[in-house]
Amino acid sequence: MVQEDPQKREIANRRNFSFRLNLFFFATFFLFSVLIVRLAILQFVEGPSLREEEEKRGSTNVLIPPIRGNIYDSGGKAVAYSTSTQSLYYSIEPGTKKEDSVALAARLLEEFQRDGDPKSAVTLEQIVKNMDLDYKKNTVSVPRRIKSGLTPKEIAYFMENRDLYSGIDIVEESIRHYDTSKFAVQLVGYLKKFGGGAENNLYKDRAKTDDPRMKYLQQEDVGFDGLEYMFQDVLRGKNGLKTYPVNAASRIIGPPVITKPEKGDNIYLTINRQVQEATEQAILDQLHYLQTTSERDKHAENAKTGYAVAMEVKTGKVIAMASMPDYDANIWEGGKISTDDYDKISNVLQNGTISPVIGPYKDPKEQRKHPSSIVFLGSTQKPLSILIGLNEQLFTTTTTYTDTGSFYYGKEGSYRRRIGNAKGHVYGVLDPARAIGKSSNPFMAKMVGDALYRKDPENGVQIWDSYVKQFGLGADTESGLLNESDGVIGYFHEQEAASSQSALILASFGQMGRYTTLQLAQYAATMASHGKRMKPQFVNEVRDSEGNVVQKFQPEVLNTVNFPEKYWKEIEDGMLQVSVTEFNNAPYKVLRKTGTSQQQVSGATVENSVFIASAPADDPVISVAVVIPEGGFGAYGAAPVARKILDAYNDYIGFDGVPKKQPATPPANGAGNAATPPTGTGTANTTTQP
C-alpha cells in the first residue's frame, strides 16, 4: 500500500484552511456590508417615517372643537354667532326611574336659583324637558344638555358635589345663537350634530380626512341648511389638539402639548337688516289683510304664505329674501330638536323662495288641496314673450293686433280651445307695448305662441326653451343654496300630451312653467339690465377673527342676452303702462308686471298672486319678485308687498346710493339677540353700485 506524502498532505490542509478562512472573512465582510447599507437606509431613507411612526405610537391626540365663525348682516350686526360656555349635562343611568330624575331636576333648580345668573334662569319644566325622559330627542346613552352659561359659582359647586348629583357632568362647548327677531331664518339655516346622521349624507366626503385639525367630532354642530351649510368650510375653523405622551401600554406619562383651536372666519351678508325686516313685515301684513278684508275682489282666505326676493340689478346682491311665516332658529340650539318642536316648524322650515313649500297644513289630504310656493308666472311672462316675438321677427314694435277678447285654436268641436282675458276684457287695437300694459292673453297666444309654432312647428318648443332659460326660468340660478329647485317645466309635457301649438300658446302667457321666487327675481333683474343674468350673491366678504378681509365677492355675469335696444325699450314702455294702484303715488317710476297664475289643484282652480318690479325705471338698481300662493290678482295680492320693499330699499340704501332715512339706533344692550355680541369688526356695505 502506497503511503501519502505527509508534506503534500500538510500543504493541502493549509490550502483548504486558507480557503475556508478567506471564505469566512468574505462572508463576514459581505454580511457586515449588507448590515451597514441597511442601517444607512433605515437612518437616511426610512428614518423620518419611522420617527413619525414612533412619535405617533408615543402620543395620543384629544381633539378640541373649534369656535364657529359668526354671520353678520350687511351693517355688521350679528345674525348667528357662537359663544364658548360651560354647560351642565345629564346622563340617564341604567335603572334610573323617571321620578328620580324629576326629583334631581328639582334639586338642580335650587342650585341654579341660588348661584345662577338671573338672566339665564330656567324653570323646573324646562329642566325636565331638557332631560328628555321620554327619549324624544336622544337615545338613553346620549347625555342631555340641561343648562348652558354656568356661572363660576355653579361650576365650583357642581365640581365639588358631583357625587351628590348622579349622572351630571360639566362640559366646555360652543353654543350657536341666532337673532331672536327671526332675521332671514330660512336663508341663514341651522346646525345639527355631525354624529346625528349628517356624516352619512351631506358630510360623507368632508369627513374623510387624516388631518386631526380638520376631523369632524361626533358631537360637533355642523351646518345643515342655508348659509350655515353653504359656508360650512369657511365658518367651521380648525380643531385644537391636546397631544399627550403615552407609554407602550398607551398610558399617559406626561403633560399635554396644547395646540389652540382656530376660530372660523366670519361672513358678512348682502342682506340689509332694515329692508329684510320691512319685507318680512310687509308679507305678514298683506296675508292678514287678504284673509280679513271685506272687499270681494281682494279677499283671499287661503293666502297663508308669502315669498319675496329683492336683488340688485347690477351686482346680483340679494338684499332681502323672505319666506313667511318663519320660526325662531334657536329651537335648534344644541344641534337637536324634539319631535314635538319639529312638528311645529316643519311646514315653515324650508326656504320657500327656492324650494316647494305648502302652507301651514298638517294633514296630507289638506296639503294636496293647495299649491306650493313654486307657481306659474302668469302674466309676468309677457314682457319676455314680447322680446321673443320681436327677436324671432314674428312682429315688429309697430305691429298692431285687434284684441276682441278671445283667440281660438285647435280643431272645431270638443278640441277647440279659447284663450280670453281676465274678467272678459276686450282691449281693441294693441301694439306690443300696449299688449304688455293691458296684459292681453289673446295677443300673446296669437302673435307669439301660435306665430312661433307656425314659423317652426318642429322646433318651436325648443326655441322657446332656449330663450326662457337664458333669463333664468327653468335653469339653475347658481346661487349655491342647498335643495334649490330649477322649477317645473310643463311645455315639453304639453307638447307630447297635446301638441307643440298648445304648448307654445299656453307658455306665451305664463301657464307652462312653475318657477321659484328667486328665479323670478333673477329674471326681472335680467330684463332690467338689458340681458345680463347675474349670479345671486348672499355674502359681501369673509373676514378672519381679527377682522382682516380674506375674501371679497365680486359680481358675476352668468350669461348675456343680446337684443336690439329698441326691443328692450318696447317692453319697458309696456311695463310702465301696467296699471297698479299701489304705485300711483310712488315718488319714483317703476317697471312692473302683475301676474295672476291659475293652477289646478285637486280638481279646483286656484289663483296665485305674482308680481315683479324694477326701480327706478330710467336706470334700475333693484328688482323685486313677490309670490302669494292663493293670493288672487297680482295687483291686489303681491304688488303692495313689492311697493313696501322698494320704499324700504330707497329709504335705507337709496336708489342713488344715498339713504333717504337713517335706521333707528339699536338699543345699547343689543335687544333682539340672545346674548348679542358686539357688532362685527367693520361693516360690509351694499349701497355702492359699480
Side-chain angles (χ1 to χ4, degrees):
M1 181 176 181
V2 179
Q3 296 290 325
E4 184 178 358
D5 186 348
Q7 187 175 4
K8 289 182 178 180
R9 186 169 61 250
E10 180 67 22
I11 293 171
N13 288 338
R14 287 180 179 179
R15 287 177 178 173
N16 289 337
F17 175 76
S18 178
F19 173 78
R20 289 195 297 269
L21 184 62
N22 289 336
L23 182 63
F24 170 77
F25 278 117
F26 177 78
T28 302
F29 174 78
F30 177 77
L31 290 174
F32 271 95
S33 297
V34 171
L35 182 60
I36 291 170
V37 170
R38 181 58 184 155
L39 287 173
I41 292 174
L42 284 173
Q43 181 173 356
F44 298 109
V45 179
E46 299 179 0
S49 60
L50 290 173
R51 278 194 296 272
E52 183 178 334
E53 182 66 21
E54 180 185 15
E55 290 175 2
K56 188 174 180 181
R57 291 176 181 271
S59 64
T60 184
N61 289 323
V62 175
L63 304 183
I64 306 171
I67 300 296
R68 194 173 181 86
N70 300 334
I71 300 176
Y72 296 95
D73 64 24
S74 66
K77 186 175 180 180
V79 175
Y81 59 96
S82 296
T83 58
S84 182
T85 186
Q86 300 283 345
S87 298
L88 182 76
Y89 274 77
Y90 171 64
S91 298
I92 302 177
E93 298 180 350
T96 302
K97 296 180 180 179
K98 188 173 183 179
E99 52 266 30
D100 294 336
S101 295
V102 174
L104 176 63
R107 293 167 54 209
L108 291 173
L109 178 63
E110 292 179 3
E111 170 54 26
F112 293 153
Q113 291 175 336
R114 182 172 63 250
D115 293 330
D117 184 348
K119 293 181 180 179
S120 59
V122 293
T123 64
L124 179 62
E125 181 181 6
Q126 289 173 319
I127 296 173
V128 174
K129 181 180 179 181
N130 291 341
M131 283 181 164
D132 190 26
L133 302 178
D134 296 322
Y135 311 109
K136 292 182 178 181
K137 296 172 65 175
N138 307 281
T139 60
V140 65
S141 61
V142 177
R144 285 95 159 109
R145 184 198 287 130
I146 304 302
K147 184 186 177 185
S148 297
L150 298 179
T151 66
K153 287 185 177 180
E154 287 175 311
I155 296 171
Y157 175 81
F158 286 119
M159 292 294 287
E160 292 173 3
N161 299 278
R162 184 174 297 181
D163 56 329
L164 302 178
Y165 297 88
S166 178
I168 70 163
D169 193 14
I170 293 176
V171 177
E172 182 177 0
E173 61 180 346
S174 175
I175 303 294
R176 195 66 160 176
H177 308 279
Y178 293 94
D179 192 319
T180 55
S181 68
K182 308 176 186 178
F183 180 88
V185 57
Q186 292 98 336
L187 170 63
V188 173
Y190 57 92
L191 307 181
K192 289 181 71 174
K193 292 294 182 188
F194 171 75
E199 75 278 14
N200 296 326
N201 40 65
L202 296 180
Y203 289 87
K204 61 182 179 181
D205 293 327
R206 281 180 168 130
K208 297 175 181 178
T209 178
D210 294 326
D211 184 351
R213 301 205 67 193
M214 300 303 296
K215 190 177 290 293
Y216 281 89
L217 288 71
Q218 287 296 301
Q219 289 301 305
E220 178 181 346
D221 293 339
V222 295
F224 213 73
D225 198 8
L227 300 178
E228 289 278 32
Y229 173 74
M230 183 174 169
F231 287 89
Q232 167 69 18
D233 294 336
V234 173
L235 292 166
R236 181 182 185 268
K238 295 182 179 179
N239 300 326
L241 299 175
K242 288 183 180 179
T243 305
Y244 290 92
V246 296
N247 60 17
S250 296
R251 293 181 179 179
I252 296 173
I253 56 176
V257 176
I258 297 177
T259 303
K260 292 183 178 180
E262 184 177 315
K263 187 179 184 298
D265 292 334
N266 303 318
I267 63 175
Y268 288 76
L269 305 184
T270 61
I271 304 295
N272 178 279
R273 179 170 293 272
Q274 287 73 35
V275 180
Q276 177 70 26
E277 291 177 347
T279 301
E280 293 171 355
Q281 192 60 50
I283 294 174
L284 292 177
D285 291 345
Q286 185 66 6
L287 294 178
H288 176 73
Y289 171 77
L290 293 172
Q291 293 172 32
T292 59
T293 181
S294 58
E295 295 185 59
R296 183 177 178 182
D297 286 346
K298 299 180 181 180
H299 183 73
E301 62 183 3
N302 288 328
K304 297 182 178 180
T305 57
Y307 312 94
V309 174
M311 177 176 168
E312 287 188 341
V313 172
K314 300 174 184 178
T315 66
K317 293 179 180 179
V318 176
I319 306 302
M321 174 178 273
S323 178
M324 305 302 288
D326 54 11
Y327 70 98
D328 184 359
N330 288 296
I331 199 170
W332 287 101
E333 187 173 295
K336 293 184 179 180
I337 189 172
S338 70
T339 302
D340 291 341
D341 286 338
Y342 182 81
D343 287 342
K344 292 176 183 177
I345 68 168
S346 60
N347 61 307
V348 296
L349 182 61
Q350 294 298 316
N351 187 345
T353 66
I354 63 166
S355 58
V357 172
I358 298 178
Y361 307 103
K362 299 296 184 182
D363 184 1
K365 291 183 180 179
E366 186 64 25
Q367 289 180 357
R368 288 192 287 270
K369 297 178 183 178
H370 303 277
S372 77
S373 54
I374 300 181
V375 303
F376 292 115
L377 275 75
S379 295
T380 58
Q381 169 73 58
K382 290 172 182 174
L384 179 52
S385 295
I386 293 298
L387 283 174
I388 294 173
L390 289 170
N391 202 58
E392 285 295 312
Q393 300 181 358
L394 305 178
F395 49 83
T396 70
T397 57
T398 60
T399 300
T400 60
Y401 166 79
T402 302
D403 181 339
T404 62
S406 299
F407 169 72
Y408 295 90
Y409 73 98
K411 295 180 180 179
E412 295 291 343
S414 59
Y415 294 102
R416 192 74 167 164
R417 298 187 68 175
R418 172 185 176 272
I419 303 300
N421 289 314
K423 297 183 178 180
H425 285 302
V426 176
Y427 294 120
V429 178
L430 303 173
D431 65 7
R434 186 171 168 79
I436 294 173
K438 292 297 183 181
S439 200
S440 170
N441 289 337
F443 184 102
M444 304 300 156
K446 170 64 177 176
M447 302 297 288
V448 181
D450 188 60
L452 182 56
Y453 164 72
R454 295 184 184 282
K455 178 183 177 181
D456 194 339
E458 295 294 326
N459 302 305
V461 176
Q462 285 74 18
I463 293 172
W464 179 271
D465 180 67
S466 174
Y467 274 114
V468 298
K469 284 182 176 174
Q470 291 182 71
F471 284 79
L473 301 177
D476 185 358
T477 68
E478 301 193 30
S479 72
L481 291 174
L482 185 66
N483 297 322
E484 182 178 3
S485 170
D486 287 346
V488 180
I489 295 173
Y491 38 79
F492 286 122
H493 174 73
E494 180 71 11
Q495 180 184 28
E496 295 177 1
S499 67
S500 296
Q501 182 186 32
S502 179
L504 289 169
I505 288 174
L506 294 176
S508 70
F509 56 94
Q511 292 299 129
M512 278 285 103
R514 293 191 288 116
Y515 306 114
T516 69
T517 312
L518 180 58
Q519 285 177 314
L520 289 176
Q522 189 182 54
Y523 156 60
T526 304
M527 287 196 297
S529 67
H530 290 193
K532 289 184 179 180
R533 186 166 75 100
M534 305 299 296
K535 177 180 178 178
Q537 302 274 12
F538 303 101
V539 174
N540 272 315
E541 61 189 24
V542 178
R543 300 184 185 185
D544 63 22
S545 58
E546 301 299 320
N548 302 308
V549 176
V550 297
Q551 184 178 4
K552 290 187 72 71
F553 292 84
Q554 301 298 326
E556 184 177 338
V557 179
L558 299 178
N559 63 268
T560 302
V561 186
N562 295 309
F563 288 152
E565 189 63 25
K566 62 181 179 180
Y567 294 174
W568 298 112
K569 185 179 184 303
E570 188 71 13
I571 68 163
E572 289 175 349
D573 289 346
M575 295 176 78
L576 286 170
Q577 295 178 35
V578 175
S579 178
V580 182
T581 303
E582 210 65 35
F583 286 92
N584 286 346
N585 63 345
Y588 47 84
K589 290 185 177 181
V590 181
L591 302 174
R592 69 269 189 164
K593 188 66 192 81
T594 57
T596 308
S597 70
Q598 294 186 331
Q599 187 172 344
Q600 295 293 317
V601 184
S602 295
T605 300
V606 299
E607 292 182 333
N608 304 308
S609 184
V610 185
F611 190 80
I612 58 173
S614 299
D618 56 345
D619 184 19
V621 297
I622 186 72
S623 290
V624 173
V626 181
V627 173
I628 309 287
E630 298 186 79
F633 286 96
Y636 302 153
V641 176
R643 170 65 193 274
K644 292 179 180 179
I645 298 172
L646 292 175
D647 282 350
Y649 185 90
N650 197 29
D651 285 344
Y652 299 110
I653 297 178
F655 295 143
D656 57 357
V658 179
K660 303 304 179 286
K661 288 184 180 180
Q662 292 299 323
T665 303
N669 63 358
N673 282 340
T676 304
T679 54
T681 305
T683 59
N685 200 347
T686 67
T687 62
T688 302
Q689 299 291 336

